[in-house]
Amino acid sequence: MTRRVAILLSGSGSNMVALVESMTGDHPARPCLVVANSAGAGGLAKAADRGIATAMVDHRPFKGDRPAFEAALHEVISAARPDILCLAGFMRVLTEGFVSRWQGRMLNTHPSLLPKYRGLHTHARALAAGEAMHGCTVHEVTPALDDGPILGQAQVPIEPGDTPDRLAARVLAQEHRLYPAVLRRFAAGDRTPVFLS
Ligand code: GAR
């Protein structure tokens, strides 16, 4: 049975594009919806250009009431009947209430080798710490921020003279390989982690 995938984003949507472009041929899943929390998210136009249904749930009118924002988000997502939710640069923290409704069916990509560098500014923090290796992680989403079972990691060596931007670009390129590889496995019911280097 083909699995239906909804993708949530806040930004340019390059990971969304990588996921969508992977879901062809004998892939066990297909995209059913792309949702953003801001009309300014560049990923919305990229999804529409690819013929995918899009929706926008602006978080700003719900300021101070995260559960109300998430209720609106849940309604929009549920209407598309996804089997799997992929967070792809979705920059809103989700409450335990929302996460528990999708637990075991929700993936996230994070730009660090978790459990190192949860949260923001991961590239600058890895550089400041003098790391030799950085990378990205795809994991199942649990209520704790940037936590949950690891489904894949890709390593990115730190180079002399790296800046956060240069490093971020190389990590992003690896996310575009890793996330589709993990989704393909996950959609087929296989949670064995994918490790890329
Ligand atoms: C990606 O690097 C993703 O890991 C990061 O945002 C970027 C989105 O890029 N997500 C987080 O930091 C979430 N904590 P994209 O919009 O081009 O896919």
Side-chain angles (χ1 to χ4, degrees):
M1 194 187 69
T2 305
R3 318 291 286 165
R4 295 168 63 82
V5 177
I7 302 170
L8 278 64
L9 55 78
S10 302
S12 72
S14 70
N15 277 289
M16 176 277 296
V17 170
L19 290 174
V20 163
E21 290 185 346
S22 73
M23 285 186 263
T24 59
D26 67 354
H27 195 291
R30 289 292 183 273
C32 64
L33 180 68
V34 169
V35 189
N37 62 300
S38 155
L44 279 180
K46 290 178 189 164
D49 285 349
R50 287 164 174 77
I52 300 162
T54 62
M56 200 278 290
V57 183
D58 190 344
H59 66 276
R60 288 169 305 179
F62 298 100
K63 192 171 182 336
D65 191 351
R66 211 178 279 274
F69 165 65
E70 292 177 348
L73 191 61
H74 185 80
E75 192 175 320
V76 165
I77 295 168
S78 299
R81 297 176 291 105
D83 302 297
I84 297 168
L85 290 194
C86 288
L87 306 183
F90 185 69
M91 302 306 279
R92 307 302 301 170
V93 172
L94 295 166
T95 69
E96 182 162 3
F98 184 91
V99 171
S100 62
R101 292 169 97 166
W102 294 99
Q103 198 155 337
R105 297 180 290 158
M106 178 158 51
L107 312 184
N108 180 45
T109 179
H110 181 76
S112 77
L113 295 173
L114 291 174
K116 287 186 171 178
Y117 309 115
R118 297 186 167 100
L120 300 175
H121 311 302
T122 57
H123 313 299
R125 288 159 61 206
L127 287 173
E131 299 281 4
M133 200 59 85
H134 189 44
C136 50
T137 302
V138 176
H139 63 97
E140 271 184 54
V141 178
T142 59
L145 181 71
D146 299 327
D147 200 9
I150 288 175
L151 296 169
Q153 287 190 316
Q155 296 197 331
V156 175
I158 291 184
E159 294 174 356
D162 254 342
T163 62
D165 284 351
R166 281 184 47 178
L167 183 55
R170 296 205 310 284
V171 170
L172 191 61
Q174 293 308 306
E175 291 187 86
H176 298 163
R177 295 173 62 216
L178 180 68
Y179 210 172
V182 170
L183 176 62
R184 177 181 274 269
R185 243 182 218 192
F186 189 83
D190 180 356
R191 293 173 191 218
T192 316
V194 177
F195 291 104
L196 304 179
S197 56

